Amino acid sequence: MVLYLGIDFGTSGARGVVIDDEARILSQMRYPWEMAIDADWVTTCWEKALWRLLAAISGELGQQIGAIAINGTSSTILLTDKTGQPVDAPLLYNDARGSMVLKDLINIAPPNHTVLSATSSLAKLLWMQQLPSFRQARYLLHQADWLAFLLHGQLGISDYHNALKLGYDVEKFQYPEWLEKLQIPIQLPQVLAPGTPIGELRPEIASKFGLRRDCLVCAGTTDSIAAFLASGAKLPGEAVTSLGSTLVLKLLSRTRVEDARYGIYSHRLGDLWLTGGASNTGGAVLKNFFTDEELVSFSRNIDVSKPSELDYYPLLKEGDRFPINDPQLLPRLEPRPDNPGEFLHGLLESMARIETQGYELLQNLGADQLTRVYTAGGGAANSAWMGIRGRYLKVPVTASTNTEAAYGTALLAMQKLGTSYLGSL
């Protein structure tokens, strides 16, 4: 029997899922982030998490794993030297320092292109060119690229899901001419289809963790696309909302929709397009005000049939990406009632409005009509939020078949070894 390992590096932690060739889950591992804001994300967080997840796999299962794929947060990038060592701290998915170069980028990229966002990989790269450490840089890698490099040892390889916000043309499968004219003095990644086998595990990694020496490491994807693959959504008009630390919307469509004015972009998924965007509202805001126990307790007392009169735009700091793409957008969290249950109701209701506004915008720009919304992430367990969202969205709102992005990434690894589980996707 051949098994498949999917590893998810999300906004709240790292997870691993091992599945068999019938897509049944055999083992799951978790490693939550417990890092200070100024901590060394790369070595004391990402790398440590990867080794901990691999070490948690039993020897019996490890000897049967034939392929591994990794997902990471979209537009989280780092620069490395020629040996793969980071030359500076990474810029995370929501880092908006790229806003400082947007005026220059507007004169280079096509109008309303995906890269014309303060958080795009390309905007971050252009900002990083100004750093003293850039002189030591040889490669640009996304989070998933670098983690996979630790396993297979080959530098400069990415996938076209992660490379989209770098400017890669996912229709023509090449870097566009306008991007090449920038003459960026480092190596941009070679871009493969997600799930494409890159190479076997480094022998020392296979030996250390009791894995098969012929285990293949595959090109990865982003965390939100992995959550979509895990959801069970397969038809145009079906969508997945992922509520982790942030709120991510993905709508499967026959039409590609791109508009940087609203933080909207489309990923290729088979012969279809996965269009959507990501808002900085989400679970991180909720956990800033409530413990997990309080969220469960207060949610039970919410009457989802009655709208809240509170009108918030829940953010932890200024700036959002979608459906309002404004790095200076201020949080709106007042007035705050004395009753914490009413406050939570107002937050959930406001997040549902943001979600609805996002899907309406996608459809207005040409995406398929929304028919069903699957829910991934921690929000799938909150029945109050599910009920409120159903009232706003006016389509069936259900939990995903599987809510773990790591499961979708495991499916991706399995698909490329000849299994047709994902069908048309």
Side-chain angles (χ1 to χ4, degrees), residues 295 298-304 344-345 348 379 381-391:
L295 285 172
F298 295 146
S299 293
R300 288 198 194 103
N301 297 321
I302 293 175
D303 185 347
V304 300
L344 176 60
H345 189 181
L348 296 177
N382 190 309
S383 58
W385 190 60
M386 297 281 279
I388 292 169
R389 293 167 56 229
R391 172 160 46 82

Short mmCIF file of all heavy atoms in Angstrom, two decimals, residues 295 298-304 344-345 348 379 381-391:
data_model
loop_
_atom_site.label_atom_id
_atom_site.label_comp_id
_atom_site.label_asym_id
_atom_site.label_seq_id
_atom_site.Cartn_x
_atom_site.Cartn_y
_atom_site.Cartn_z
N LEU A 295 -16.06 31.59 23.19
CA LEU A 295 -16.67 31.56 21.86
C LEU A 295 -17.75 30.50 21.79
O LEU A 295 -18.84 30.73 21.25
CB LEU A 295 -15.59 31.30 20.80
CG LEU A 295 -14.67 32.47 20.46
CD1 LEU A 295 -13.53 31.99 19.56
CD2 LEU A 295 -15.44 33.58 19.79
N PHE A 298 -20.79 31.67 24.41
CA PHE A 298 -21.58 32.82 23.97
C PHE A 298 -22.31 32.54 22.66
O PHE A 298 -23.42 33.05 22.44
CB PHE A 298 -20.69 34.05 23.82
CG PHE A 298 -20.07 34.54 25.10
CD1 PHE A 298 -18.81 35.11 25.10
CD2 PHE A 298 -20.74 34.41 26.31
CE1 PHE A 298 -18.23 35.55 26.28
CE2 PHE A 298 -20.18 34.84 27.50
CZ PHE A 298 -18.91 35.42 27.48
N SER A 299 -21.72 31.73 21.79
CA SER A 299 -22.35 31.42 20.50
C SER A 299 -23.65 30.66 20.69
O SER A 299 -24.60 30.81 19.92
CB SER A 299 -21.40 30.61 19.62
OG SER A 299 -20.27 31.37 19.24
N ARG A 300 -23.71 29.82 21.75
CA ARG A 300 -24.91 29.02 21.99
C ARG A 300 -26.14 29.90 22.23
O ARG A 300 -27.27 29.50 21.96
CB ARG A 300 -24.71 28.12 23.22
CG ARG A 300 -23.77 26.96 23.01
CD ARG A 300 -23.98 25.92 24.11
NE ARG A 300 -22.89 24.95 24.15
CZ ARG A 300 -21.92 24.95 25.05
NH1 ARG A 300 -21.92 25.89 26.00
NH2 ARG A 300 -20.99 24.06 25.03
N ASN A 301 -25.93 31.09 22.76
CA ASN A 301 -27.05 31.95 23.14
C ASN A 301 -27.43 32.97 22.07
O ASN A 301 -28.30 33.82 22.30
CB ASN A 301 -26.70 32.69 24.44
CG ASN A 301 -26.50 31.75 25.60
OD1 ASN A 301 -27.22 30.77 25.75
ND2 ASN A 301 -25.49 32.03 26.43
N ILE A 302 -26.79 32.89 20.90
CA ILE A 302 -27.10 33.82 19.83
C ILE A 302 -28.33 33.33 19.05
O ILE A 302 -28.37 32.17 18.62
CB ILE A 302 -25.90 33.99 18.86
CG1 ILE A 302 -24.75 34.68 19.59
CG2 ILE A 302 -26.30 34.78 17.62
CD1 ILE A 302 -23.47 34.79 18.75
N ASP A 303 -29.30 34.18 18.88
CA ASP A 303 -30.47 33.88 18.05
C ASP A 303 -30.12 34.29 16.61
O ASP A 303 -30.14 35.47 16.27
CB ASP A 303 -31.69 34.65 18.54
CG ASP A 303 -32.97 34.30 17.78
OD1 ASP A 303 -32.87 33.63 16.71
OD2 ASP A 303 -34.06 34.70 18.22
N VAL A 304 -29.79 33.29 15.79
CA VAL A 304 -29.28 33.59 14.45
C VAL A 304 -30.36 34.15 13.53
O VAL A 304 -30.06 34.70 12.47
CB VAL A 304 -28.65 32.34 13.82
CG1 VAL A 304 -27.48 31.84 14.66
CG2 VAL A 304 -29.68 31.23 13.61
N LEU A 344 -20.09 39.56 20.46
CA LEU A 344 -19.74 38.45 19.57
C LEU A 344 -20.73 38.35 18.42
O LEU A 344 -20.33 38.15 17.26
CB LEU A 344 -19.70 37.14 20.35
CG LEU A 344 -19.44 35.88 19.51
CD1 LEU A 344 -18.10 35.96 18.80
CD2 LEU A 344 -19.51 34.62 20.39
N HIS A 345 -22.03 38.50 18.73
CA HIS A 345 -23.05 38.47 17.68
C HIS A 345 -22.76 39.53 16.63
O HIS A 345 -22.81 39.28 15.42
CB HIS A 345 -24.43 38.69 18.31
CG HIS A 345 -25.56 38.46 17.36
ND1 HIS A 345 -26.88 38.63 17.72
CD2 HIS A 345 -25.59 38.10 16.04
CE1 HIS A 345 -27.66 38.37 16.69
NE2 HIS A 345 -26.89 38.07 15.66
N LEU A 348 -19.71 38.43 14.46
CA LEU A 348 -20.04 37.37 13.51
C LEU A 348 -20.92 37.89 12.37
O LEU A 348 -20.74 37.52 11.21
CB LEU A 348 -20.74 36.21 14.23
CG LEU A 348 -19.92 35.46 15.29
CD1 LEU A 348 -20.76 34.39 15.96
CD2 LEU A 348 -18.67 34.84 14.67
N GLY A 379 -14.21 28.08 11.72
CA GLY A 379 -15.57 28.59 11.64
C GLY A 379 -16.61 27.52 11.34
O GLY A 379 -17.80 27.71 11.62
N ALA A 381 -17.11 24.86 12.81
CA ALA A 381 -17.64 24.27 14.04
C ALA A 381 -18.57 25.21 14.78
O ALA A 381 -19.18 24.80 15.78
CB ALA A 381 -16.47 23.87 14.95
N ASN A 382 -18.72 26.44 14.32
CA ASN A 382 -19.55 27.42 15.02
C ASN A 382 -20.92 27.49 14.34
O ASN A 382 -21.09 28.11 13.30
CB ASN A 382 -18.87 28.79 15.00
CG ASN A 382 -19.57 29.80 15.91
OD1 ASN A 382 -20.77 29.99 15.84
ND2 ASN A 382 -18.79 30.43 16.78
N SER A 383 -21.91 26.83 14.94
CA SER A 383 -23.23 26.74 14.31
C SER A 383 -23.90 28.10 14.22
O SER A 383 -24.67 28.36 13.29
CB SER A 383 -24.11 25.76 15.08
OG SER A 383 -24.25 26.17 16.43
N ALA A 384 -23.62 29.00 15.16
CA ALA A 384 -24.22 30.34 15.10
C ALA A 384 -23.72 31.09 13.87
O ALA A 384 -24.50 31.68 13.13
CB ALA A 384 -23.89 31.12 16.37
N TRP A 385 -22.42 31.05 13.65
CA TRP A 385 -21.86 31.74 12.49
C TRP A 385 -22.37 31.11 11.20
O TRP A 385 -22.68 31.82 10.23
CB TRP A 385 -20.34 31.71 12.54
CG TRP A 385 -19.68 32.59 11.53
CD1 TRP A 385 -19.82 33.95 11.41
CD2 TRP A 385 -18.80 32.20 10.49
NE1 TRP A 385 -19.07 34.42 10.35
CE2 TRP A 385 -18.42 33.36 9.78
CE3 TRP A 385 -18.25 30.97 10.09
CZ2 TRP A 385 -17.55 33.33 8.70
CZ3 TRP A 385 -17.37 30.94 9.02
CH2 TRP A 385 -17.04 32.12 8.34
N MET A 386 -22.50 29.78 11.17
CA MET A 386 -23.03 29.11 9.98
C MET A 386 -24.45 29.57 9.71
O MET A 386 -24.84 29.83 8.56
CB MET A 386 -22.98 27.60 10.18
CG MET A 386 -21.58 27.02 10.34
SD MET A 386 -20.69 26.82 8.79
CE MET A 386 -21.39 25.27 8.23
N GLY A 387 -25.27 29.68 10.76
CA GLY A 387 -26.65 30.11 10.58
C GLY A 387 -26.76 31.55 10.11
O GLY A 387 -27.58 31.88 9.24
N ILE A 388 -25.96 32.43 10.69
CA ILE A 388 -25.96 33.84 10.27
C ILE A 388 -25.56 33.96 8.82
O ILE A 388 -26.17 34.70 8.04
CB ILE A 388 -25.01 34.65 11.18
CG1 ILE A 388 -25.57 34.74 12.60
CG2 ILE A 388 -24.79 36.05 10.60
CD1 ILE A 388 -24.59 35.30 13.61
N ARG A 389 -24.55 33.23 8.42
CA ARG A 389 -24.07 33.30 7.04
C ARG A 389 -25.12 32.79 6.06
O ARG A 389 -25.28 33.34 4.95
CB ARG A 389 -22.79 32.48 6.89
CG ARG A 389 -21.62 33.11 7.67
CD ARG A 389 -20.45 32.14 7.78
NE ARG A 389 -20.02 31.71 6.46
CZ ARG A 389 -19.81 30.44 6.14
NH1 ARG A 389 -20.02 29.48 7.01
NH2 ARG A 389 -19.40 30.13 4.92
N GLY A 390 -25.85 31.75 6.43
CA GLY A 390 -26.91 31.25 5.55
C GLY A 390 -27.98 32.29 5.30
O GLY A 390 -28.52 32.40 4.19
N ARG A 391 -28.27 33.09 6.33
CA ARG A 391 -29.26 34.16 6.18
C ARG A 391 -28.78 35.22 5.19
O ARG A 391 -29.56 35.76 4.42
CB ARG A 391 -29.55 34.77 7.56
CG ARG A 391 -30.42 36.00 7.54
CD ARG A 391 -31.08 36.27 8.88
NE ARG A 391 -30.18 36.17 10.01
CZ ARG A 391 -29.35 37.14 10.40
NH1 ARG A 391 -29.29 38.27 9.71
NH2 ARG A 391 -28.58 36.98 11.46
#
